[in-house]
Amino acid sequence: MSTKDLYEIVVGLEVHAQLLTKSKLFCGDSIAFGQEPNIQVSPITLGHPGTLPKMNRRAIECAVKMGLACHCEIERYNYFARKNYFYPDLPKGYQVSQHTTPICKSGFITIKSGNSAKLIRLNRIHLEEDAGKSVHDADIHNTCVDYNRAGTPLIEIVSEPDLRSAEEVYNYLTEIRKIVRYLGVCDGNMEEGSLRCDVNISVRRKGDEKLGTKVEVKNLNSIRNARRAVETEAERLIGLIEKGETIIQQTRSFDAGNGTTFAIRDKEDADDYRYFPEPDLTPFNLEEEFIERIRREIPQLHTERISKYVNEYKLSEYDAVILTEEKSFSDYFEDLVTFARDYKASANWMAGPVKSWLNDNGNEIENFPLKPERLSALIQLVNNNKVSFTVASTKLLNALLGDASKEPLQLATELNLLQESNASAIEPIIEQVISKYADKVKEYKKGKKGLLSLFVGEVMKLSKGKADPKLTNDLLTEKLNS
Amino acid sequence: MEVNDALVDKLANLAKLKFDALEKEEIKSDLQKMIAFVEKLNELDTTGVKPLLHMTDEVNVLREDEVKGSISREAALKNAPLHDEQFFKVPKVIKK
């Protein structure tokens, strides 16, 4: 047992998700990513005197939708607070945030932990605005500031300290990413910073009641980095305790380059944000009717689809998870089975040839040239033994992807790919193979039955994949045993 | 409430301002007066009175999610003490 095993890791997460709105939280600037600096700014964003912010209705809807999907209580009476601090990327000198009345309270997210499911309790989900972006290396004397992002609507999803390993952190973030993407409240794009997280971590001896001193690792921009940060930080904290040193409450940053964390500030100069109610924004009240409308808009989530695929479609859990990884992929599958009806074959096609094509082409299912109806016709050909799966998933699929206007059967006929299920056409090939491998045939007859697959393979090859494998198998066995 | 050096230092730090000893004395006395002025309100009995958070009774003043109202970059940068064609510029905030 290593020293590490004597300790328990305790983690709580703050996840910031950028909402899928067109405009900012309190004004009409676009929130498009990757634009020229300082073109998505208005006097409100820049915090000019005399300007008045006004709340974006869609942002409220997104936050409520996320809250309902996470089983939260929805706050009926909301108002915003100012969180005061000075930093150049914060033009007003305060961030507007739902400090006192988070729009969603409690709730939970179910994650995988080992082979079982685990509930991670949420403390709150609240609305707040993002800050601008500082660029430190463009000018040697100054910091350059771009306010395009300032005022972008975010929800902050705050968990209780229920996570117990780097793996659970990874699974929790993966789960959040799936939920926001299924709901359409955030694109989940971590490279563009649409989903970021801060990790609060402490360690304690197993069995200890009291929590250890916590350290916050800020601004992790990928799920993988969050897992790595938890691993390294836990190791560092355990090392300190083992050496008899005291852990200081700190804010740290993760260097993805070398996989270490470093201190940015000690919590001794404790933050004093002097929160107070934002007087410039009116409170907003949520009516029952509004909340119920949002509830009806919630689509079937991946978790419900997984249980449908497993229980009704009799697919493996593994297949179900692959199919539901992305909502659009799962939507395609849902369409496909309305035509194909063969769940298992449809799942195999999706997880196999379709997914490979997407991977090879770095493309999304939205751009897959074959519509579900056409793909189902292809699956039908295989199920009816007209074309072998191998030929269908390679030659015929490629041909169809090149010319999506043609019916699979028509194309298979034109390309001479229809399977030979006529014994008289296969028998001559079998004769050919048997005479070519006379000595192997002897070995087979002496009992080396495993050679059968070699003969079948040869027949398939000579028939250019067109021989019906089952028929070939039967004919060969008959011939060899006669 | 007593305004002492520690309080002035704390506020100065939060406001990112610096004062010399003379200014600090002046600020201490001004602050003390301001607080005394506001503390007068404590003489009122506010038991059972809900805090007034907003100056109007309006609620749910919302806008639709539409892109509009941005100004040109040139106009945005115009009043900044330091800028180039693209960015606002401020003293370096990170030590390398």
Side-chain angles (χ1 to χ4, degrees):
Chain A
M1 197 180 193
S2 78
T3 325
K4 223 172 109 186
D5 298 326
L6 299 173
Y7 290 87
E8 180 179 50
I9 305 175
V10 177
V11 179
L13 250 54
E14 290 163 25
V15 178
H16 289 93
Q18 179 179 321
L19 297 178
L20 262 179
T21 57
K22 295 189 197 75
S23 66
K24 291 186 179 175
L25 187 52
F26 302 120
C27 66
D29 296 327
S30 164
I31 61 164
F33 178 81
Q35 303 298 301
E36 285 280 302
N38 293 307
I39 60 163
Q40 292 164 178
V41 294
S42 61
I44 297 176
T45 291
L46 297 172
H48 281 285
T51 56
L52 269 184
K54 203 171 171 189
M55 180 74 199
N56 183 337
R57 184 190 304 274
R58 162 102 181 120
I60 300 178
E61 293 172 352
C62 289
V64 170
K65 197 175 276 186
M66 184 63 183
L68 291 173
C70 299
H71 320 276
C72 297
E73 272 169 56
I74 306 299
E75 173 63 56
R76 269 32 174 201
Y77 305 100
N78 291 266
Y79 65 87
F80 281 91
R82 289 187 184 179
K83 176 180 181 178
N84 297 280
Y85 66 94
F86 276 114
Y87 203 75
D89 62 15
L90 193 70
K92 299 189 292 293
Y94 55 84
Q95 180 195 28
V96 179
S97 157
Q98 282 192 306
H99 172 259
T100 327
T101 58
I103 190 160
C104 315
K105 279 178 296 189
S106 49
F108 61 87
I109 286 174
T110 312
I111 64 157
K112 245 183 82 160
S113 174
N115 286 324
S116 51
K118 177 172 172 180
L119 295 190
I120 305 301
R121 290 169 304 147
L122 297 185
N123 175 286
R124 54 152 64 196
I125 300 175
H126 69 249
L127 280 159
E128 64 181 31
E129 58 176 344
D130 206 348
K133 208 165 82 186
S134 302
V135 182
H136 300 290
D137 49 9
D139 176 331
I140 41 167
H141 304 295
N142 299 291
T143 290
C144 297
V145 197
D146 170 12
Y147 291 119
N148 282 348
R149 201 181 63 185
T152 295
L154 305 177
I155 45 172
E156 179 172 335
I157 307 157
V158 183
S159 83
E160 295 291 351
D162 285 353
L163 297 153
R164 290 290 176 271
S165 67
E167 202 53 41
E168 286 186 4
V169 168
Y170 184 89
N171 292 344
Y172 174 80
L173 287 169
T174 306
E175 195 59 25
I176 288 199
R177 185 169 182 274
K178 274 188 199 170
I179 296 172
V180 295
R181 284 173 60 86
Y182 266 79
L183 294 175
V185 299
C186 167
D187 65 18
N189 191 331
M190 300 199 81
E191 289 91 60
E192 296 180 1
S194 308
L195 204 61
R196 330 188 269 271
C197 83
D198 303 338
V199 170
N200 284 294
I201 171 168
S202 65
V203 297
R204 63 179 168 193
R205 283 238 162 204
K206 278 186 183 156
D208 277 4
E209 288 273 316
K210 200 169 161 278
L211 289 172
T213 307
K214 77 171 178 192
V215 164
E216 182 176 14
V217 185
K218 279 196 110 57
N219 254 325
L220 296 158
N221 61 357
S222 79
I223 298 181
R224 211 176 127 253
N225 279 346
R227 175 166 63 186
R228 289 170 69 205
V230 170
E231 277 163 5
T232 29
E233 191 53 21
E235 224 163 274
R236 191 186 71 88
L237 293 174
I238 293 169
L240 284 176
I241 298 175
E242 284 292 314
K243 276 189 275 175
E245 289 178 32
T246 330
I247 291 168
I248 344 168
Q249 193 176 345
Q250 265 181 340
T251 304
R252 299 177 73 86
S253 187
F254 179 68
D255 182 339
N258 62 18
T260 60
T261 68
F262 58 95
I264 18 184
R265 60 175 187 266
D266 290 352
K267 287 266 176 177
E268 282 162 16
D269 30 75
D271 303 320
D272 183 353
Y273 293 124
R274 294 147 293 144
Y275 289 99
F276 65 86
E278 162 63 277
D280 286 352
L281 285 159
T282 69
F284 64 95
N285 300 341
L286 301 179
E287 309 290 338
E288 227 45 52
E289 203 180 315
F290 171 85
I291 296 170
E292 285 317 305
R293 173 171 71 76
I294 302 294
R295 197 189 297 280
R296 286 194 298 274
E297 283 175 18
I298 294 179
Q300 199 170 46
L301 295 180
H302 57 291
T303 40
E304 296 163 87
R305 284 192 175 169
I306 287 174
S307 70
K308 178 169 83 176
Y309 296 170
V310 171
N311 299 323
E312 289 175 38
Y313 297 180
K314 306 294 173 205
L315 299 178
S316 68
E317 170 109 21
Y318 179 82
D319 282 346
V321 170
I322 288 184
L323 287 169
T324 53
E325 210 73 48
E326 295 288 340
K327 179 169 187 292
S328 49
F329 195 73
S330 170
D331 286 345
Y332 187 102
F333 176 73
E334 298 264 320
D335 279 350
L336 181 61
V337 295
T338 62
F339 297 109
R341 296 274 163 202
D342 184 332
Y343 303 127
K344 185 64 194 157
S346 299
N348 289 345
W349 273 87
M350 293 292 294
V354 175
K355 208 164 173 59
S356 317
W357 186 88
L358 298 180
N359 290 343
D360 293 348
N361 292 280
N363 218 326
E364 305 292 328
I365 189 78
E366 288 90 335
N367 303 319
F368 188 63
L370 283 192
K371 296 297 147 229
E373 191 173 3
R374 189 81 8 130
L375 181 60
S376 81
L378 182 56
I379 296 175
Q380 214 57 52
L381 282 186
V382 177
N383 283 1
N384 295 340
N385 285 324
K386 295 267 196 238
V387 185
S388 74
F389 175 76
T390 317
V391 169
S393 63
T394 52
K395 289 181 196 163
L396 190 49
L397 179 63
N398 279 338
L400 277 167
L401 289 168
D403 184 359
S405 68
K406 285 196 173 136
E407 279 294 339
L409 179 60
Q410 183 197 350
L411 207 52
T413 317
E414 282 177 23
L415 296 172
N416 193 23
L417 295 174
L418 288 179
Q419 192 156 266
E420 198 48 80
S421 29
N422 188 346
S424 62
I426 300 176
E427 269 161 355
I429 304 177
I430 290 182
E431 290 299 340
Q432 211 180 323
V433 170
I434 284 180
S435 58
K436 185 176 167 196
Y437 289 97
D439 36 342
K440 297 275 181 206
V441 172
K442 268 185 209 153
E443 285 180 40
Y444 176 88
K445 288 191 168 167
K446 278 187 200 150
K448 214 170 167 191
K449 300 293 179 200
L451 284 168
L452 182 63
S453 57
L454 170 90
F455 303 133
V456 175
E458 273 307 303
V459 175
M460 296 305 290
K461 205 156 86 189
L462 289 174
S463 74
K464 296 196 174 63
K466 282 165 59 188
D468 180 327
K470 185 168 181 311
L471 183 61
T472 304
N473 213 47
D474 293 349
L475 291 171
L476 257 171
T477 315
E478 193 185 317
K479 193 89 192 166
L480 288 166
N481 293 334
S482 64
Chain B
M1 186 180 189
E2 197 214 335
V3 179
N4 52 24
D5 281 351
L7 180 65
V8 174
D9 288 344
K10 188 188 167 194
L11 292 175
N13 182 35
L14 287 170
K16 302 273 185 281
L17 295 173
K18 273 200 182 100
F19 307 115
D20 60 29
L22 198 68
E23 287 170 320
K24 210 189 261 182
E25 284 311 311
E26 252 176 74
I27 283 166
K28 252 164 47 181
S29 125
D30 285 351
L31 260 181
Q32 191 71 67
K33 280 185 210 154
M34 287 180 221
I35 288 174
F37 177 73
V38 179
E39 270 177 348
K40 179 127 187 79
L41 292 174
N42 288 341
E43 291 170 19
L44 274 178
D45 181 8
T46 53
T47 327
V49 179
K50 268 203 197 164
L52 178 71
L53 303 184
H54 297 88
M55 298 307 287
T56 84
D57 291 331
E58 283 195 272
V59 290
N60 293 6
V61 179
L62 307 177
R63 39 174 277 275
E64 298 309 317
D65 182 25
E66 289 162 0
V67 173
K68 59 180 179 190
S70 295
I71 55 174
S72 73
R73 178 154 67 193
E74 199 190 350
L77 293 168
K78 199 171 83 179
N79 293 321
L82 194 60
H83 63 86
D84 60 14
E85 300 76 39
Q86 294 187 307
F87 289 103
F88 292 84
K89 294 199 172 189
V90 296
K92 272 254 188 268
V93 290
I94 203 167
K95 287 185 200 121
K96 279 264 170 177

